[in-house]
């Protein structure tokens, strides 16, 4: 993102309280925003879309820094070591503050080492199968699984990923068996699903939607409590009898531990102003990301709950990775 200094906008025009910009000492220089994945893809798009608009709200440039690798570990360590002055933020997501803490020994504490600032939004995971597979509905698919134990395989974006854990949750709740085929990322996993090397998987809806619309894979059910606006005819797993089944690829903003409360409040109010913009909502909705504005305390509770439930599943399924 091009570095640039922007004029401070009027708090009234942005829907922010007057005290926000009374904190004249912050921000007075560009804010680094670390995205823990390589450039391109859904997570990067979410981060850049937020930064573009938040920079206008904050009256200061925001510079996106893509630090991929290690399932977010490199980005998380960089953030943890930064000064807690509000000039280094990170896009925390389900890997850095959900599934990785549940399955790996990390060089950071996902709760104690960070300051929660706010949630951006989430996209559900979707149960998809190869387009040539006989079952056409989630009901017939479940029957097919029970009649053909161990004959189907599922791909994932890697061991310990959300796509892996979601499928293991599915296996546990349906008492079925599927062979796990881990890949290095979601793209090759979807490619092999389309080609028939695997038969099903649980990608995030944002990644799967173009292939579903193109008829290359078939959507059978979505996770979460309600049907998704982009797939109104596809039932939830809850409707299929899997009570409370939920898995979401979520995105939020965190900073180093012990950030000043006034700066956290300023950033959270700025995020709220961005998330209230209809154009921003439409942009993310087109990518199957639904907004989930939260206060810092709400976001902290959400992360703790997500870590706890994936940790419980990892223990139940004996999933513990060395790195």
């Amino acid at each position: 993102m091009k570095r640039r200094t922007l004029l401070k906008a009027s708090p009234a025009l942005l829907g922010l309280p007057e005290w926000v910009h009374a904190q004249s000492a912050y921000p007075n220089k560009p804010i680094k925003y670390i995205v823990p994945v390589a450039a391109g893809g859904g997570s990067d798009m979410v981060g850049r879309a937020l930064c573009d608009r938040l920079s206008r709200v904050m009256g200061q440039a925001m510079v996106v820094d893509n630090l991929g690798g290690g399932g977010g570990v490199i980005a998380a360590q960089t953030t943890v070591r930064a000064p807690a002055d509000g000039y280094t933020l990170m896009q925390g997501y389900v890997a850095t503050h959900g599934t990785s803490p549940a399955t790996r020994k990390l060089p950071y504490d996902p709760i104690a080492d960070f300051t929660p600032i706010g949630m951006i939004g989430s996209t559900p995971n979707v149960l998809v199968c190869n387009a040539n597979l006989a079952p056409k509905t989630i009901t017939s698919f479940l029957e097919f699984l029970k009649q053909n134990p161990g004959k189907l395989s599922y791909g994932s974006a890697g061991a310990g990923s959300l796509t892996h854990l979601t499928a293991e949750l599915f296996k546990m709740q349906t008492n079925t068996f599927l062979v796990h085929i881990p890949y290095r990322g979601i793209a090759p996993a979807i490619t092999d699903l389309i080609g028939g090397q695997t038969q099903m998987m649980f990608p995030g809806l944002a990644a799967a939607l173009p292939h579903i619309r193109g008829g290359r894979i078939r959507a059978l059910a979505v996770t979460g409590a309600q049907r998704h606006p982009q797939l109104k005819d596809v039932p939830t797993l809850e409707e299929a009898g899997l009570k409370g089944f939920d898995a979401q690829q979520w995105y939020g903003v965190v900073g180093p531990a012990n950030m000043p409360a006034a700066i956290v409040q300023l950033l959270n109010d700025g995020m709220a102003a961005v998330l209230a913009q209809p154009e921003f909502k439409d942009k993310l909705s087109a990518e199957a990301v639904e907004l989930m504005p939260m206060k810092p305390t709400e976001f902290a509770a959400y992360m703790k709950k997500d870590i706890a439930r994936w940790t419980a599943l990892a223990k139940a399924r004996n999933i513990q990775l060395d790195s």
Side-chain angles (χ1 to χ4, degrees), residues 131 194 208-218:
I194 293 170
L209 197 56
H211 305 288
I212 294 171
R213 287 173 171 165
R216 293 180 289 275
I217 56 179
R218 181 182 304 127

Side-chain angles (χ1 to χ4, degrees), residues 162-180:
L162 180 63
T163 51
H164 175 203
L165 295 187
T166 305
E168 289 301 311
L169 178 61
F170 176 80
K171 286 165 61 177
M172 187 169 70
Q173 289 201 13
T174 58
N175 193 30
T176 55
F177 180 73
L178 293 149
V179 178
H180 177 212

Side-chain angles (χ1 to χ4, degrees), residues 59-75:
Q60 188 56 261
M62 296 191 69
V63 181
V64 174
D65 186 10
N66 294 93
L67 288 179
V73 170
I74 295 173

Side-chain angles (χ1 to χ4, degrees), residues 1-6 30 51-52 55-56 60-63:
M1 181 176 289
K2 182 187 292 185
R3 292 175 180 268
R4 60 186 185 279
T5 302
L6 303 174
C51 285
D52 178 59
S55 67
R56 303 172 202 170
Q60 188 56 261
M62 296 191 69
V63 181

